[in-house]
Amino acid sequence: DSGVTQTPKHLITATGQRVTLRCSPRSGDLSVYWYQQSLDQGLQFLIQYYNGEERAKGNILERFSAQQFPDLHSELNLSSLELGDSALYFCASSPRPGTASGNTIYFGEGSWLTVV
Amino acid sequence: GQNIDQPTEMTATEGAIVQINCTYQTSGFNGLFWYQQHAGEAPTFLSYNVLDGLEEKGRFSSFLSRSKGYSYLLLKELQMKDSASYLCAVWTGGGNKLTFGTGTQLKVEL
């Protein structure tokens, strides 16, 4: 158990709909990262937050948005869903960015999204 | 941007040693991670290198050369359960961005 909690574990929804994926980082971790992994694809970096502020953005679609709340949990909002958005969405957390060796980024178990 | 290259697939024999290479081109380097991922599961942390040299952890070792933009993961005494995808990831932007390579699918055979 990495200590990173993601909900829901599985979600099936229709095209055009909107869903929210939730992530609770490990206790004490300030950074949250979101990734998308489509079938047989690599991990695509979406966005990263540190202590409530957006710090880095990857290939995140305009239909997608995220935020990190004061209690440090984060939500990824996916709207106007398309079939191609079906993927495994991972959240990861780390204590603080860019510090010396010993830092580790831990991943949650992921949220399986199926768009039908 | 970041460019990370790994071999797509490798096959090795149970009990043997395998080395998985990773080359990268990036700016603002803050460290390199190796993860193991079984299909449909979360990536599991294996190692982190920020300084040049070899880090050993049980059957797994990881090496980094920052000047060459090169890292490798060494797996010893291979077991069938080591069959998985091994992901190289580079930490940049002051630790705000972790970019993954496409992964190396390792198959361990009898």
Side-chain angles (χ1 to χ4, degrees), chain A residues 6-57:
Chain A
Q6 290 188 247
T7 57
K9 288 188 173 14
H10 296 89
L11 186 59
I12 301 175
T13 190
T15 55
Q17 296 298 305
R18 172 189 172 95
V19 299
T20 297
L21 309 180
R22 181 189 171 101
C23 171
S24 294
R26 291 189 315 151
S27 178
D29 283 2
L30 300 179
S31 283
V32 170
Y33 307 75
W34 284 100
Y35 288 86
Q36 179 193 56
Q37 188 172 39
S38 302
L39 192 63
D40 295 331
Q41 297 292 313
L43 283 158
Q44 297 298 316
F45 172 71
L46 296 178
I47 199 164
Q48 186 254 352
Y49 284 82
Y50 176 76
N51 203 21
E53 293 186 6
E54 180 186 311
R55 289 291 184 90
K57 187 176 278 192

Side-chain angles (χ1 to χ4, degrees), chain B residues 4 16-18 35 43 55 60 63 67 72 81 88:
Chain B
I4 303 171
I17 299 173
V18 70
Y35 284 85
E55 294 275 346
F60 296 80
F63 172 84
S67 63
Y72 68 73
K81 67 178 183 179
C88 169

Side-chain angles (χ1 to χ4, degrees), chain A residues 25 59 64 73 77 93 97 102 115:
Chain A
N59 299 322
F64 296 0
H73 91 271
N77 300 296
S93 75
V115 182

